[in-house]
Amino acid sequence: MSETAPGVRGGFPQIKPAEHAPAGLGRFVAAMRRLQDLAVCTDSSSWDAAAEHVERACAVLDGHQVPEGVAPGGRVLELPGLGHPLLPPWLVTDSGPDGVNMDGYFSRAHVGGNNAVHGGMIPLFYDWLFGMVVSTAGCPPTRTAFLHVDYRNVTPIDEPLTARGRIAGVDGRKFFVAASMTAADGTLLSEANGLMVRLLPHQP
């Protein structure tokens, strides 16, 4: 079989979107995001009491771990951030071979300074978007080879934003991806381009 044949997956597991969001997962992830926001903007004498609540939540979930591709977190398309609490709360609004559109926002937990989104959060978002672009286009599993971001304007928190990504070119196993993020008024906030490389049979 050719190393670029459609069925070649390397050592990458077959991971599909979850068929539905389990009851309570959306509520739990929203609470986790709120907790992350509060953790970086709170000055309180109640840290020990708050830690006890978090530790009890951990105890409720501990013992129910399942393998990658089985746990719903990170695979639920209808939940912001795919139901993954570390991804920013964005939703896929349109997807297909021509690209992926996403709407969402960043919150206090993503601040780098002066109420602007931390510069490192932007590449995290784009890497996620690039992965959605190639998977939606039906490409076999890829890994990020490089990701370049041009910051055009300060990215604000708690404001509606839009992003779009597309495959800009293909060269054998190489998928070149381009994307941009804009504010509600159309202001260009950042642009990104990257290279996603299709895995070889022996690559994880």
Side-chain angles (χ1 to χ4, degrees):
M1 178 182 292
S2 167
E3 65 182 28
T4 60
V8 172
R9 301 188 56 83
F12 210 96
Q14 180 76 42
I15 297 178
K16 298 179 179 179
E19 293 183 2
H20 58 82
L25 177 61
R27 176 184 175 187
F28 177 80
V29 173
M32 287 290 294
R33 289 203 176 98
R34 178 59 176 160
L35 180 63
Q36 291 169 176
D37 287 340
L38 291 170
V40 299
C41 71
T42 299
D43 185 6
S44 172
S45 61
S46 302
W47 290 111
D48 280 333
E52 289 178 5
H53 285 288
V54 176
E55 288 164 357
R56 284 198 293 271
C58 290
V60 169
L61 295 177
D62 198 10
H64 298 276
Q65 293 91 334
V66 293
E68 180 183 10
V70 178
R75 298 191 303 118
V76 185
L77 292 176
E78 66 263 32
L79 290 181
L82 303 181
H84 192 306
L86 292 183
L87 289 177
W90 288 63
L91 283 167
V92 175
T93 56
D94 188 38
S95 63
D98 294 330
V100 172
N101 292 345
M102 298 180 72
D103 290 340
Y105 65 97
F106 295 92
S107 66
R108 182 66 182 271
H110 304 118
V111 166
N114 201 27
N115 285 327
V117 176
H118 192 292
M121 292 292 177
I122 307 300
L124 168 65
F125 170 80
Y126 278 122
D127 198 38
W128 171 31
L129 175 57
F130 285 6
M132 296 294 290
V133 167
V134 292
S135 62
T136 299
C139 304
T142 60
R143 291 290 191 185
T144 307
F146 73 76
L147 193 162
H148 175 86
V149 178
D150 289 308
Y151 300 89
R152 304 302 188 187
N153 285 284
V154 168
T155 302
I157 63 166
D158 297 324
E159 293 187 17
L161 308 173
T162 298
R164 174 168 175 77
R166 62 182 177 83
I167 294 178
V170 180
D171 181 9
R173 294 169 48 227
K174 299 177 180 179
F175 295 85
F176 297 92
V177 185
S180 62
M181 184 185 301
T182 56
D185 64 0
T187 299
L188 179 64
L189 302 176
S190 60
E191 296 177 289
N193 63 83
L195 171 61
M196 310 294 284
V197 178
R198 181 185 296 167
L199 293 176
L200 293 173
H202 64 279
Q203 293 177 315

